[in-house]
């Protein structure tokens, strides 16, 4: 039994080491990808049923690997978070997304852009100043940019985070709460924060119609706070119809489009404008 135990230990140890080595290799590759410009935003439309058009697009990070093809966020965002590379990933996505929005504007396409922001980015004392610089460089109106934050981030007591949030709000940048309804919500804090938009998590939307009561309650709460409501994860006409009928202002999900590269998004936007 003893020998077996030792063997087991050795096997376990080796697996651990391999995982660590794999992680280090991935990180080295990711640093190189950042330098080479292989980390870029895909875009997914946010459709407004009222206006019957795409009013905004969410930028979602993709790693375009020369050999492995498109690598999804699940395979590099968590490790970037862990190792501090998320600041660089977030920054390059923000920069490219804002630049793309402005290129579209020059071509007569009017669309806002939303970008995901991690807690680590907001812990950087110069975050707000960096965002301001990016907007100014591109000549982008602050109201055309929305930052998507998760609920837990709003509960952060960190002073640097609070200051950054205050500064970006003062600049006129919009704030959205992402994945709403999945975590522990501090409604008082949410109300205080005066967010502009709440994105109802796709797990809630996809639980319809079983959890209709809950989603209606969430929508009622959002309406009370007078925020714009986005329903995430819309995959079927029935879900789209339900969300629209129950007062969601914007709909996002595979039913409208998967996240696509900028060129494909541009075609969608042009088609959408009826040109
Ligand atoms: P998220 O911000 O909640 O983004 C929505 C995710 O749901 C995206 O996955 C999107 O492709 C997927 N999705 C959209 N519509 C549907 C649908 O109808 N059905 C289903 N099943 N899924 C749908 P993606 O692109 O793989 O991104 C995953 C997560 O990675 C994001 O979740 C976000 O938390 C994170 N992420 C992506 N890009 C960035 C970034 O630039 N910075 C940071 N900090 N996080 C990012
Ligand atoms: Ca998001
Ligand atoms: Ca989300
Ligand atoms: Ca998320």
């Amino acid at each position: 039994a003893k020998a077996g135990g030792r063997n087991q230990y050795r096997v376990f140890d080796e697996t651990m080491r391999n995982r660590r080595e794999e992680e280090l290799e991935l990180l080295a590759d990711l640093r190189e990808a950042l330098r080479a410009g292989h980390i870029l935003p895909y875009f997914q439309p946010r459709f407004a049923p009222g206006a019957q058009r795409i009013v905004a697009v969410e930028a979602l990070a993709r790693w375009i690997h020369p050999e492995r093809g498109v690598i999804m966020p699940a395979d590099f965002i968590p490790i970037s978070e862990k190792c501090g590379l998320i600041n660089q990933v977030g920054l390059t996505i923000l920069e490219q997304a804002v630049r793309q929005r402005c290129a579209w504007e020059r071509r007569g396409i009017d669309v806002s852009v939303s970008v995901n922001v991690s807690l680590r980015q907001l812990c950087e004392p110069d975050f707000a100043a960096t965002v301001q610089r990016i907007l100014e460089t591109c000549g982008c109106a602050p109201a055309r940019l929305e930052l998507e934050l998760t609920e837990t981030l709003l509960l952060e007591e960190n002073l640097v985070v609070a200051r950054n949030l205050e500064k970006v709000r003062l600049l006129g940048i919009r704030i959205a709460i992402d994945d709403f309804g999945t975590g522990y919500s501090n409604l008082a804090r949410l109300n205080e924060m005066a967010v502009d938009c709440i994105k109802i998590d796709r797990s809630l939307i996809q639980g319809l119609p079983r959890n209709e009561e809950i989603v209606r309650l969430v929508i009622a709460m959002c309406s009370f706070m007078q925020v714009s409501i986005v329903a995430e994860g819309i995959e079927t006409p029935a879900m789209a119809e339900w969300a629209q009928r129950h007062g969601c202002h914007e709909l996002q999900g595979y039913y409208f489009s998967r996240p696509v590269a900028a060129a494909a998004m541009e075609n969608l936007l042009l088609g959408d404008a009826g040109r």
Side-chain angles (χ1 to χ4, degrees):
K2 231 180 183 177
R6 268 171 80 164
N7 269 341
Q8 263 172 11
Y9 181 72
R10 197 171 52 79
V11 169
F12 175 69
D13 194 43
E14 223 156 67
T15 320
M16 288 299 280
R17 206 194 55 210
N18 286 344
R19 182 174 301 167
R20 179 88 192 114
E21 271 170 13
E22 264 172 37
E23 266 189 23
L24 287 174
E25 209 179 299
L26 182 75
L27 277 175
D29 285 357
L30 184 56
R31 281 200 187 84
E32 180 49 36
L34 278 162
R35 262 194 298 272
H38 292 164
I39 308 292
L40 45 87
Y42 269 30
F43 297 94
Q44 189 180 34
R46 286 168 46 171
F47 183 82
Q52 281 293 305
R53 69 180 192 97
I54 299 167
V55 287
V57 292
E58 176 176 2
L60 292 156
R62 296 291 184 267
W63 177 353
I64 312 299
H65 196 283
E67 283 125 44
R68 289 162 63 196
V70 180
I71 303 179
M72 301 300 283
D75 295 322
F76 66 95
I77 295 282
I79 192 166
S80 314
E81 293 266 8
K82 199 170 117 192
C83 302
L85 269 182
I86 191 66
N87 291 31
Q88 277 159 272
V89 172
L91 187 64
T92 189
I93 296 301
L94 178 69
E95 258 175 338
Q96 295 177 78
V98 168
R99 209 183 308 133
Q100 183 61 67
R101 194 215 81 86
C102 290
W104 282 329
E105 185 177 37
R106 286 193 295 277
R107 266 166 252 160
I109 302 168
D110 180 25
V111 72
S112 295
V113 70
S114 64
V115 175
N116 295 285
V117 175
S118 110
L119 174 60
R120 273 198 185 239
Q121 290 176 272
L122 281 164
C123 288
E124 292 290 318
D126 61 355
F127 174 78
T130 304
V131 179
Q132 184 173 21
R133 177 182 53 74
I134 291 170
L135 290 176
E136 282 172 3
T137 306
C138 299
C140 178
R144 290 303 196 212
L145 173 64
E146 188 168 271
L147 303 180
E148 298 194 3
L149 321 170
T150 52
E151 287 173 71
T152 46
L153 218 150
L154 286 185
L155 303 177
E156 212 22 72
E157 296 293 342
N158 185 321
L159 250 180
V160 178
V161 173
R163 291 226 175 87
N164 270 323
L165 284 174
E166 197 184 314
K167 281 184 204 157
V168 293
R169 292 219 76 231
L170 282 173
L171 286 170
I173 294 164
R174 291 169 54 93
I175 303 286
I177 302 305
D178 206 353
D179 306 339
F180 188 76
T182 54
Y184 162 76
S185 299
N186 183 331
L187 294 178
R189 192 66 213 281
L190 209 61
N191 207 18
E192 253 168 55
M193 265 299 300
V195 301
D196 303 282
C197 171
I198 283 177
K199 302 187 78 178
I200 302 175
D201 192 68
R202 77 162 180 263
S203 59
L204 283 179
I205 298 298
Q206 294 181 349
L208 289 170
R210 176 178 44 79
N211 61 352
E212 204 170 44
E213 246 101 81
I214 295 269
V215 183
R216 277 157 88 148
L217 191 62
V218 169
I219 293 172
M221 248 159 36
C222 297
S223 306
F224 174 74
M225 291 191 280
Q226 297 188 297
V227 297
S228 173
I229 308 165
V230 181
E232 290 193 301
I234 300 281
E235 289 185 355
T236 63
M239 285 181 202
E241 203 268 324
W242 191 96
Q244 173 177 8
R245 189 154 42 84
H246 288 84
C248 295
H249 305 103
E250 291 174 42
L251 316 177
Q252 181 178 355
Y254 293 170
Y255 173 60
F256 296 97
S257 166
R258 289 188 175 250
V260 293
M265 189 66 237
E266 183 166 328
N267 286 335
L268 275 180
L269 288 164
L270 289 172
D272 194 67
R275 271 169 283 191

